Amino acid sequence: MDLKRKFGTSIGITPFGSLGSSLASASASITKLIVKNIPKSVNKNDIIENLKKIIQNQSINITIPAGIPADVAHKIEAGTNIAFLSCPNLSQLSMARNILNGKSLGDKKLQVDFYEVKKVIPTPAPAPIETSEEPKKKQKTEKKPKEQNKKADETKKPEETKKETSVENKKKETKSQSQSQPQPQPKEQSTIENNDNNENNNKEEEKQKEKEEETKVSTVRNNKAVINKITQQLSSCAESKNYVQLVKSYNYLKKIGAKPDHITYGVMLNACVRCQEYKKAKEVFDDAIKDNVANDVIYTTYIKALCEVDMTSAYEMIQSMISTKPNIRTFNSIFRGCVRSGDIEITKGLISLMKSNEIYPDSTTIEYLIKIYSDHLMIQDIWDLLAKVYERMEGQISPICFSRLSLASLLAGDIKSSVKALGITDDILAKAPQTLTTSHKNKGKLSERNKISSSLFERIGKQEINEECERVRSYLNKITMNNAKIKVKFYNMESFNKIYFSKNSFKTNVNRISDESSGKELDAFNELFNQYKKGGVYYKGTDDVDLNTNRYLKMEICSGHGHWVTERAGQDLDADWISLEIRYDRIFQIWSKAILESIDNLYIVGGDAHKSLKEVIPDGVLDEVYINYPNPPVWKGADRLINELFLVEINRCLKKSGTLTIVTDDKPYSEQIIEILSKSKKLLKVYKPASPDNTYLTPLAEDYGYSYFNKLWNNGQRVKRYCIVITKN
Ligand SMILES: C[S@@+](CC[C@H](N)C(=O)[O-])C[C@H]1O[C@@H](n2cnc3c(N)ncnc32)[C@H](O)[C@@H]1O
């Protein structure tokens, strides 16, 4: 049994909210407190004495187990001991928890969580589930309980010592419940208690309580096997991103009136986030709130979903978490959102909120903060932050933090800071083991397939850091060679006139320094478009030198880190380029590449592709449009970027005979796009295949250029890329 599975992390959860939900879903169990982090040097009698002194409550029994139960062993720090506290009155128990948590014993601070000792009572067979085959199979197998009891016993023990995710736990629980009821009580639970205390009384109370509860909640338990089974289905739907089945299974749960617990809701919510179905995520979150089971994990997952839709709502949600306290994962989820959206004000608000909740940053928080500050060229803030945490976190801070700081310092004109950060990056990279490029530590939970792609990302991550350092180094060299004639100094990229942040996508968070009402922020773009409205003849001569020449306006949509577009713009001096990207951190990447590589013919639009084209690009000005590796739909049938409407919109922006090129490594996506193109009457009127043989697919030119995803493609040895080229009629 995993503590988190039963109570969330329970840190900071208000006693009644948390206990209420645990009672509803796990009625046949005893709730205790587990006190962790007790120094081993303190003997058992002294532990009991000390704890009694602190809690001052005679009705609470304190026991020190002979050994650490296997289900919590991985959460117990070496050199520390634990104690259990039990009391029939749960509110007294929760008061004791509040009193004890964080108190010092010896040189340690006590950590107190709720702990559930499960007493398994024979459960009637679950109701058959008509929506899947699995339960039918189960009904058959339940005819042989004895044999299955044995199986469950055999498979159980070694597994219980392992660290498990909530879902895995749930799966295991489902397995044992459906295969083997009644289930034997886990061995370690019976050895938890030390006989030198009032354990007998305790057991009597527990038995009495069990009896009472058993009669009251048999219906709930009856459904529990079904809930568990469906939770398992939800979890596998999430893995395979089978959204249709996911919704079916969830709706079934709702239809039978089952009361899922926080695990089921957590799995469902997580699945909605994975499938990018944020509306459904809201519905599920609201259900969890109604059922009073929304714990910190559920809030965190929902906040993650909100970050994709509206950062302000995500921020309001974390601020509203009072009874269910946010933890560092909750904060990191929203900081991650701030990296992507560039929300500096929300970042500052979150830092204050963390302080008032006494939550300390971890290395992931630091990485996010440094990225956010870097993208806003807040150099001093980064050094101040590092000064506060470096000692505590030495060895844990990713080199990407320093390479980003070095880049940002250079753009801010702070050469000294840039050189210093570059040196630290080099040092870390030289000393670091192969894996130290990001600070995220969830690899243990990854499936085999994900492990492969995660190591691929990791390698590329390292390559990215090296490339970033190389760009900085080479610019620093240029500065020295040119005797400081070239320099950069920006206040932030938002003040750069060749960047436009769409009002639709960056509502309030971007600090526009020009006067919005006068529309000045689009001045550079309007000037550019005016030239192309006149036919793309570009005059840039002085009175005596006529440089009339044909120029082209080209655009990449979804530029990512900007490798491809900066390389193309850098080489293609007869054209002006526009790069469009929605993520703030990636816009920063594109911009910094353009600055350091002195690319003058590149303009950047920050915003959602659908809305920004309408907002920024006039009719008939673009000669070429490219979309390289657009995100394919997450599940079959999900919304996607490239649909009929979007293709029509691009057509509006293109000049006559202008081309649209789409490159993807996702065969089904390429097929979907071709299907739209070849079946839509609207599109057939305005586009035709560019290839002379009238096919949509075209071989990709050798010198097409490379991008981040291109690199993934190469390294991952994917076999094929699909290139669709069409022309405006
Ligand atoms: C798979 S990446 C490809 C990036 C780049 N073209 C490359 O090949 O490396 C897709 C990019 O599209 C961006 N994106 C996704 N949806 C978008 C939208 N609606 N509007 C603008 N950009 C979007 C993402 O932020 C991401 O950077």
Side-chain angles (χ1 to χ4, degrees):
M1 184 172 63
D2 182 342
L3 273 185
K4 199 170 132 214
R5 203 195 79 73
K6 287 294 167 199
F7 294 102
T9 55
S10 80
I11 298 163
I13 295 176
T14 51
F16 302 109
S18 156
L19 292 176
S21 62
S22 69
L23 282 178
S25 57
S27 51
S29 60
I30 307 299
T31 304
K32 296 187 177 195
L33 292 181
I34 178 169
V35 183
K36 295 182 284 184
N37 221 20
I38 301 171
K40 264 244 158 82
S41 53
V42 184
N43 74 41
K44 290 184 178 179
N45 286 340
D46 286 348
I47 295 175
I48 294 173
E49 274 310 299
N50 274 300
L51 295 181
K52 273 188 178 165
K53 233 187 248 170
I54 302 173
I55 51 177
Q56 298 279 332
N57 186 334
Q58 295 305 321
S59 53
I60 292 180
N61 287 315
I62 304 170
T63 55
I64 313 295
I68 308 272
D71 60 332
V72 288
H74 63 282
K75 293 187 175 171
I76 307 301
E77 207 182 286
T80 67
N81 208 343
I82 60 169
F84 286 108
L85 269 59
S86 54
C87 175
N89 185 331
L90 291 175
S91 59
Q92 290 196 23
L93 208 55
S94 75
M95 266 156 64
R97 177 182 173 276
N98 291 343
I99 295 170
L100 273 178
N101 203 15
K103 288 276 168 6
S104 298
L105 187 52
D107 59 345
K108 303 258 180 211
K109 282 207 164 25
L110 300 175
Q111 293 166 1
V112 190
D113 283 327
F114 288 102
Y115 181 81
E116 196 183 11
V117 181
K118 197 170 177 202
K119 301 282 174 182
V120 180
I121 294 160
T123 308
I129 307 171
E130 284 147 29
T131 48
S132 82
E133 284 176 15
E134 290 282 317
K136 283 180 198 159
K137 269 188 218 160
K138 196 179 70 184
Q139 272 184 323
K140 274 186 206 163
T141 55
E142 274 171 357
K143 282 177 190 159
K144 297 175 182 171
K146 266 189 190 170
E147 201 182 307
Q148 283 142 2
N149 267 350
K150 212 172 131 198
K151 262 192 198 166
D153 261 358
E154 280 164 9
T155 52
K156 209 163 179 182
K157 287 162 202 162
E159 274 173 41
E160 279 175 351
T161 56
K162 285 183 201 161
K163 220 178 189 180
E164 287 166 335
T165 63
S166 311
V167 174
E168 280 164 348
N169 250 325
K170 190 84 185 181
K171 280 183 190 166
K172 204 172 77 189
E173 195 179 299
T174 310
K175 205 172 169 187
S176 54
Q177 282 205 1
S178 59
Q179 287 182 341
S180 61
Q181 284 154 10
Q183 192 185 34
Q185 188 173 332
K187 245 190 176 174
E188 64 269 23
Q189 299 294 355
S190 58
T191 56
I192 284 173
E193 311 303 323
N194 196 347
N195 291 339
D196 61 2
N197 252 293
N198 316 351
E199 196 52 26
N200 286 341
N201 288 346
N202 213 5
K203 277 185 184 158
E204 280 307 311
E205 284 162 6
E206 288 171 5
K207 268 186 196 163
Q208 182 63 27
K209 205 173 149 217
E210 275 169 28
K211 272 187 190 163
E212 286 166 16
E213 291 294 335
E214 193 187 351
T215 39
K216 273 192 237 160
V217 292
S218 65
T219 325
V220 175
R221 273 192 288 110
N222 208 8
N223 283 337
K224 207 172 177 219
V226 177
I227 296 172
N228 287 344
K229 194 78 209 170
I230 293 184
T231 307
Q232 208 173 317
Q233 286 174 0
L234 296 175
S235 159
S236 58
C237 288
E239 274 278 304
S240 57
K241 298 201 176 137
N242 184 346
Y243 182 68
V244 175
Q245 184 55 43
L246 182 86
V247 172
K248 258 191 202 166
S249 303
Y250 183 73
N251 288 348
Y252 178 77
L253 261 189
K254 293 271 130 187
K255 195 173 132 196
I256 62 170
K259 285 239 177 280
D261 65 6
H262 62 273
I263 298 171
T264 308
Y265 276 118
V267 169
M268 178 64 191
L269 204 52
N270 202 31
C272 292
V273 176
R274 287 191 71 170
C275 292
Q276 295 179 1
E277 289 298 328
Y278 305 120
K279 249 191 195 163
K280 190 76 189 172
K282 181 179 179 340
E283 187 189 315
V284 175
F285 178 74
D286 289 345
D287 288 348
I289 294 279
K290 256 186 252 151
D291 284 352
N292 199 22
V293 294
N295 63 3
D296 54 343
V297 178
I298 290 186
Y299 269 94
T300 301
T301 313
Y302 185 54
I303 283 177
K304 207 166 151 192
L306 282 178
C307 286
E308 298 293 330
V309 187
D310 177 10
M311 283 300 295
T312 309
S313 305
Y315 182 47
E316 282 167 4
M317 180 61 74
I318 200 170
Q319 284 175 305
S320 74
M321 288 176 72
I322 292 166
S323 57
T324 304
K325 294 256 186 217
N327 56 37
I328 190 60
R329 280 182 297 280
T330 323
F331 278 97
N332 285 345
S333 293
I334 185 162
F335 278 129
R336 177 176 170 271
C338 290
V339 171
R340 289 159 173 244
S341 67
D343 254 296
I344 194 71
E345 289 310 319
I346 292 184
T347 303
K348 287 176 189 166
L350 289 170
I351 294 170
S352 315
L353 199 60
M354 274 179 81
K355 277 186 193 153
S356 59
N357 278 281
E358 293 185 7
I359 293 172
Y360 296 96
D362 63 10
S363 55
T364 305
T365 325
I366 299 302
E367 184 173 327
Y368 288 149
L369 285 177
I370 291 181
K371 283 182 173 168
I372 298 165
Y373 290 163
S374 293
D375 292 353
H376 290 82
L377 307 188
M378 294 162 64
I379 309 306
Q380 194 49 49
D381 294 74
I382 301 177
W383 286 114
D384 291 348
L385 177 68
L386 285 169
K388 276 186 207 147
V389 300
Y390 195 72
E391 213 166 287
R392 179 165 68 91
M393 290 189 181
E394 205 185 344
Q396 292 172 45
I397 300 180
S398 159
I400 187 94
C401 297
F402 294 97
S403 70
R404 197 54 51 84
L405 170 58
S406 171
L407 170 66
S409 304
L410 185 57
L411 291 163
D414 188 342
I415 308 298
K416 213 166 138 192
S417 163
S418 180
V419 172
K420 189 171 159 190
L422 196 61
I424 301 176
T425 321
D426 289 344
D427 272 1
I428 300 178
L429 284 179
K431 284 187 219 146
Q434 285 300 312
T435 50
L436 192 79
T437 49
T438 69
S439 56
H440 309 292
K441 322 161 191 131
N442 60 349
K443 281 165 220 144
K445 293 178 196 159
L446 297 174
S447 68
E448 232 6 79
R449 204 170 130 251
N450 284 340
K451 264 184 202 156
I452 294 167
S453 64
S454 114
S455 80
L456 184 61
F457 265 105
E458 212 158 65
R459 256 188 294 136
I460 289 169
K462 193 162 184 178
Q463 208 173 320
E464 285 292 306
I465 299 174
N466 280 326
E467 282 178 19
E468 192 160 272
C469 290
E470 232 10 81
R471 268 192 294 277
V472 172
R473 218 184 306 278
S474 114
Y475 198 85
L476 285 169
N477 284 343
K478 273 196 227 164
I479 293 178
T480 4
M481 274 163 53
N482 283 282
N483 254 343
K485 268 185 202 149
I486 45 165
K487 254 191 190 168
V488 276
K489 186 171 173 62
F490 295 100
Y491 297 106
N492 61 36
M493 71 167 162
E494 291 163 14
S495 60
F496 188 67
N497 69 342
K498 284 183 187 164
I499 297 189
Y500 175 73
F501 285 93
S502 154
K503 287 182 186 125
N504 285 309
S505 312
F506 294 88
K507 285 183 189 115
T508 52
N509 51 331
V510 168
N511 173 23
R512 298 183 175 87
I513 43 174
S514 53
D515 175 9
E516 283 191 33
S517 56
S518 72
K520 268 189 191 153
E521 44 191 319
L522 260 176
D523 273 0
F525 284 81
N526 288 335
E527 210 178 290
L528 176 78
F529 294 136
N530 281 338
Q531 293 154 17
Y532 286 95
K533 278 183 200 157
K534 286 175 200 154
V537 178
Y538 189 54
Y539 176 78
K540 208 183 183 179
T542 53
D543 286 343
D544 45 340
V545 187
D546 187 359
L547 289 179
N548 272 345
T549 169
N550 270 338
R551 283 185 70 79
Y552 304 93
L553 187 56
K554 303 179 185 181
M555 177 167 195
E556 187 195 22
I557 296 173
C558 299
S559 295
H561 299 73
H563 293 98
W564 188 87
V565 77
T566 50
E567 196 184 30
R568 286 293 283 263
Q571 291 164 357
D572 194 3
L573 300 179
D574 287 338
D576 289 299
W577 279 82
I578 302 172
S579 162
L580 190 150
E581 168 59 47
I582 197 166
R583 273 178 55 175
Y584 192 92
D585 53 331
R586 295 193 171 163
I587 299 168
F588 177 82
Q589 287 291 317
I590 304 166
W591 173 66
S592 65
K593 285 186 181 78
I595 296 296
L596 296 192
E597 283 155 35
S598 310
I599 299 167
D600 290 334
N601 55 339
L602 181 65
Y603 296 71
I604 303 168
V605 176
D608 169 67
H610 272 267
K611 294 172 187 157
S612 309
L613 287 184
K614 240 182 227 96
E615 196 183 331
V616 181
I617 314 286
D619 295 355
V621 288
L622 300 175
D623 289 281
E624 294 169 17
V625 175
Y626 295 85
I627 311 178
N628 297 312
Y629 303 95
N631 297 112
V634 183
W635 58 274
K636 200 170 166 259
D639 268 357
R640 53 187 174 264
L641 175 72
I642 303 177
N643 55 23
E644 187 190 62
L645 202 74
F646 190 54
L647 291 166
V648 168
E649 181 56 15
I650 293 178
N651 194 277
R652 177 190 67 75
C653 304
L654 280 169
K655 276 183 187 163
K656 191 169 167 21
S657 304
T659 57
L660 167 63
T661 303
I662 302 166
V663 179
T664 175
D665 55 358
D666 190 288
K667 189 170 185 231
Y669 197 17
S670 72
E671 287 167 352
Q672 279 174 33
I673 297 168
I674 292 174
E675 192 176 321
I676 302 172
L677 284 167
S678 55
K679 292 209 172 137
S680 152
K681 282 185 188 155
K682 244 190 215 162
L683 294 176
L684 282 168
K685 262 192 213 157
V686 293
Y687 283 115
K688 62 171 183 270
S691 160
D693 60 6
N694 220 25
T695 53
Y696 287 101
L697 282 176
T698 319
L700 195 67
E702 283 278 304
D703 59 351
Y704 183 73
Y706 102 110
S707 70
Y708 182 79
F709 274 82
N710 209 180
K711 232 184 321 181
L712 276 184
W713 180 81
N714 280 329
N715 287 327
Q717 283 146 19
R718 293 194 193 156
V719 275
K720 218 164 159 42
R721 282 182 291 179
Y722 305 88
C723 176
I724 299 166
V725 190
I726 49 178
T727 308
K728 175 170 175 169
N729 286 330

